Amino acid sequence: MALGLVFPSFMQIHQPLSLCSFNSSTVRKTFLARNSNGQEPSSTGSIAVKEKKAFPGKPEADVVVIGSGIAGLCCAGLLARYGQDVLVLESHDLPGGAAHSFEIKGYKFDSGPSLFSGFQSRGPQANPLAQVLDALGVSLPCVKYDSWMVYIPEGSLLHTSLFYHHEHPDLEKYGTPNAVQEWQKLLDGILPMSAAAMALPPLSIRGDFGVLSTAAARYAPSLLKSFVQMGPQGALGATKLLRPFSEVMDSLELKDPFIRNWVDLLSFLLAGVKTNGILSAEMVYMFAEWYQPGSCLEYPLHGTGAVVDALVQGMKKFGGRLSLGSHVEKIVIENDRASGVKLRSGQFVRAKKAVISNASMWDTLKLLPKEVVPKSYLDRVNTTPQCESFMHLHLGFDAEGIREDLGIHHIVVNDWERGVDADQNVVLISIPSVLSPDLAPPGKHVLHAYLPGTEPFGLWEGLDRRSTEYKNLKAERSEVMWRAVERAIGAGFSRDKCEVKLVGTPLTHQRFLRRNRGTYGPAIEAGKNSFPGHSTPIPQLYCCGDSTFPGIGVPAVAASGAIVANSLVSVSQHSQLLDAIGI
């Protein structure tokens, strides 16, 4: 969750919900509407956008998408690729949702995801976002690297894939005498499962019985082959892929405290929960990605905003439209169906085939007339537990006196005993200018530190953002991030020398990202409940994003957007898309 890891969570996509040759005559002119109101960014860089008086272009489309997050853009891009007339409505004047980037004084900041893997992968085992980009025919240049720093109560370590695959000095240093043996037992036990976890491409999934053709029948041979290769013991282990990963660890009788803590941290980075709440399929794939010779991570050149730009470019390439500064006030229901949306300006935008909400389940509910919402749907939304919110620290500072081997990513764990999901305990730090110098002025660095989905909204609820109480709480609750930054950067860093200092709070998330209570998404644990599907009780209204299956994180939301797009076209079109991208 916290770092927006890009891993294909294939086997977690276990429940359902090609393109035809694209005739150039059907390509529609792309319209990119953007406000240029000169407003200053907020404490996290978001802009307070004034509603446009009139909607630009024709106020209708086959499909209207509410929100330009990763899921919404993936969905809209694929629908445009399928030949649908698509219009994305974004409240702010920057696309990307929680993944947008912003610039202040020449510093270009990421607002969300920053640790990625698998952008350059292709074929059936590629991650969902890479498959969408491939389908849209857009490239995403990246810088590769293979390590990140972790600061733990016992000391510090440099995480690399080869480090743990061949040599184990940190395990010997921080673990029990059995730590090395237990780690190898873990790798030997789960890596053979990766073939099954990677056998079903998420782009093959759709939300109807057509999935029997696009997924089940199409990939049955590769699934069967993977089970044969695993052997009886591996095949038996693969049955646990849809269970919490803690059960796999328990079955292997892993007891070393350092290993248990370490794997909890990896799970938390991937999905925002510890091993007792994450699907084993996600962890198995992550281990296959990281703990193999030649494994690497990737950071997009020009920042995370380049991911959003690539998706927008791909959507535009096939005639999709994006209207920024277009705040959706409500979803319009006519004849018991979603027929369009009404903007804050009063403008009605008709959706001839479907409305797709990339907002959270709670925020989507607010857009619907109360009288059309069934009680069962209302109760499910209102009783779904939420992840907590975020604290952010964005800094721009001089690189003079800072060590040259700084590294892009740093993770600070203050106390294992409290758990990696405890508030004020784990701080994530990204310094992307280390790999992409253009993100900061010459001789400078740009930094983003944050508390990943662990900041209680209740501490902030009801506070006046202009009050002294609010400002004091910001200073108090951001101190742990400042200390983590000082520990990670070391000598040469000074708070006083920072040219840009921005602190974001849960109220920032609530206000600028339109997120109910500033939440990161539903707190749904594997084995206890499942994420909702993409259809709703209201015909022609669909949802995508982190409130829907398969869940939270960049790969999951990309997959959700693809599933909705696939579900709105024929099986023939869907199959032709899979053929076109070689999966």
Side-chain angles (χ1 to χ4, degrees):
M1 170 196 76
L3 292 177
L5 298 171
V6 180
F7 296 114
S9 309
F10 298 136
M11 286 298 293
Q12 71 171 328
I13 304 177
H14 62 282
Q15 59 187 24
L17 217 155
S18 101
L19 268 187
C20 296
S21 299
F22 199 80
N23 189 323
S24 60
S25 65
T26 66
V27 177
R28 301 170 180 85
K29 181 180 178 181
T30 299
F31 184 89
L32 178 60
R34 191 177 191 120
N35 270 351
S36 298
N37 51 27
Q39 289 180 284
E40 288 297 316
S42 73
S43 58
T44 58
S46 299
I47 306 293
V49 179
K50 294 181 179 179
E51 184 73 23
K52 292 190 290 290
K53 293 183 179 180
F55 181 80
K58 60 179 182 178
E60 67 174 24
D62 292 334
V63 180
V64 171
V65 179
I66 304 170
S68 66
I70 295 292
L73 290 176
C74 285
C75 184
L78 289 178
L79 284 170
R81 179 77 163 84
Y82 282 128
Q84 301 295 309
D85 179 15
V86 184
L87 172 61
V88 179
L89 301 175
E90 171 56 50
S91 180
H92 294 300
D93 70 347
L94 291 172
H100 79 277
S101 294
F102 61 94
E103 180 175 353
I104 296 178
K105 297 182 179 179
Y107 292 94
K108 302 178 182 68
F109 293 99
D110 293 338
S111 66
S114 58
L115 180 59
F116 301 99
S117 174
F119 275 135
Q120 306 303 314
S121 58
R122 292 293 181 270
Q125 297 180 354
N127 72 68
L129 183 52
Q131 289 179 344
V132 171
L133 292 171
D134 197 19
L136 297 180
V138 290
S139 61
L140 185 68
C142 295
V143 181
K144 294 184 178 181
Y145 62 104
D146 65 359
S147 63
W148 35 280
M149 282 299 302
V150 184
Y151 305 86
I152 55 179
E154 302 94 320
S156 62
L157 59 93
L158 181 68
H159 174 280
T160 66
S161 57
L162 293 179
F163 189 80
Y164 281 100
H165 195 72
H166 296 297
E167 300 177 359
H168 311 281
D170 285 329
L171 288 175
E172 295 169 354
K173 181 177 181 181
Y174 299 124
T176 64
N178 295 326
V180 173
Q181 180 182 356
E182 287 198 12
W183 182 259
Q184 195 58 52
K185 186 178 182 181
L186 176 62
L187 294 182
D188 292 343
I190 65 174
L191 289 179
M193 301 182 200
S194 62
M198 300 161 67
L200 186 64
L203 219 65
S204 68
I205 307 298
R206 53 188 293 123
D208 55 26
F209 287 111
V211 72
L212 297 175
S213 173
T214 61
R218 187 181 184 99
Y219 298 102
S222 61
L223 279 168
L224 180 62
K225 181 180 179 181
S226 69
F227 278 100
V228 171
Q229 291 175 340
M230 285 188 290
Q233 185 174 356
L236 180 61
T239 62
K240 300 176 181 177
L241 286 172
L242 301 180
R243 297 295 302 166
F245 190 65
S246 59
E247 295 182 7
V248 173
M249 298 184 69
D250 291 341
S251 69
L252 294 172
E253 298 182 343
L254 305 180
K255 303 182 184 301
D256 182 82
F258 178 77
I259 290 178
R260 302 288 302 213
N261 286 330
W262 180 253
V263 179
D264 264 344
L265 177 62
L266 296 178
S267 173
F268 183 68
L269 297 178
L270 180 59
V273 292
K274 296 191 291 188
T275 54
N276 61 353
I278 190 172
L279 285 173
S280 294
E282 295 185 75
M283 291 296 286
V284 168
Y285 193 89
M286 184 274 294
F287 269 88
E289 280 280 286
W290 277 10
Y291 296 101
Q292 297 279 18
S295 299
C296 67
L297 299 170
E298 297 163 327
Y299 183 78
L301 280 175
H302 317 306
T304 303
V307 179
V308 176
D309 291 343
L311 289 171
V312 172
Q313 177 190 348
M315 180 188 66
K316 292 169 59 179
K317 179 180 176 181
F318 293 100
R321 291 181 290 155
L322 170 64
S323 178
L324 300 169
S326 295
H327 181 79
V328 173
E329 193 75 31
K330 70 176 183 178
I331 297 170
V332 177
I333 309 299
E334 296 176 334
N335 299 320
D336 298 323
R337 295 176 176 272
S339 62
V341 300
K342 181 180 179 182
L343 303 183
R344 178 178 289 166
S345 64
Q347 174 72 58
F348 172 66
V349 181
R350 181 167 295 281
K352 292 182 282 187
K353 296 182 179 180
V355 174
I356 301 170
S357 176
N358 186 201
S360 76
M361 62 169 69
W362 303 280
D363 296 293
T364 299
L365 188 63
K366 293 176 184 177
L367 298 176
L368 290 168
K370 293 181 179 180
E371 62 272 15
V372 306
V373 180
K375 185 177 185 303
S376 59
Y377 184 73
L378 177 67
D379 290 344
R380 173 161 187 173
V381 171
N382 287 335
T383 58
T384 298
Q386 294 183 346
C387 293
E388 293 289 5
S389 193
F390 289 74
M391 288 287 295
H392 292 271
L393 180 65
H394 289 97
L395 303 176
F397 59 95
D398 199 313
E400 184 178 359
I402 305 296
R403 68 179 194 272
E404 294 184 1
D405 62 342
L406 186 57
I408 178 175
H409 291 300
H410 306 258
I411 299 174
V412 178
V413 181
N414 292 311
D415 186 350
W416 288 125
E417 294 298 321
R418 294 189 62 218
V420 294
D421 54 353
D423 70 301
Q424 299 271 293
N425 195 28
V426 174
V427 181
L428 309 179
I429 301 169
S430 174
I431 312 173
S433 50
V434 168
L435 297 181
S436 189
D438 64 305
L439 296 177
K444 313 287 184 179
H445 276 312
V446 62
L447 180 149
H448 177 207
Y450 54 108
L451 301 174
T454 59
E455 181 66 8
F457 183 82
L459 294 177
W460 303 84
E461 191 168 13
L463 291 182
D464 184 340
R465 292 178 293 103
R466 297 164 296 183
S467 69
T468 301
E469 182 182 5
Y470 178 72
K471 294 175 183 177
N472 289 341
L473 190 59
K474 283 178 68 172
E476 174 190 337
R477 301 294 289 183
S478 63
E479 181 62 25
V480 67
M481 296 186 290
W482 280 106
R483 291 198 302 267
V485 169
E486 289 166 342
R487 182 178 181 185
I489 298 179
F493 176 79
S494 170
R495 302 187 189 189
D496 295 334
K497 293 182 180 179
C498 292
E499 299 176 5
V500 176
K501 303 176 187 178
L502 302 171
V503 175
T505 74
L507 296 186
T508 311
H509 263 253
Q510 181 186 46
R511 182 186 180 199
F512 289 104
L513 296 183
R514 313 296 187 194
R515 300 288 294 188
N516 180 267
R517 297 179 64 83
T519 184
Y520 191 69
I524 296 175
E525 295 185 1
K528 295 183 179 180
N529 209 333
S530 60
F531 277 83
H534 307 93
S535 62
T536 72
I538 300 170
Q540 295 185 186
L541 174 62
Y542 301 85
C543 296
C544 65
D546 55 29
S547 284
T548 65
F549 179 82
I552 292 175
V554 171
V557 299
S560 78
I563 292 171
V564 175
N566 296 337
S567 303
L568 293 178
V569 300
S570 68
V571 170
S572 175
Q573 285 180 291
H574 187 183
S575 297
Q576 289 181 49
L577 171 62
L578 298 177
D579 291 339
I581 61 176
I583 63 172

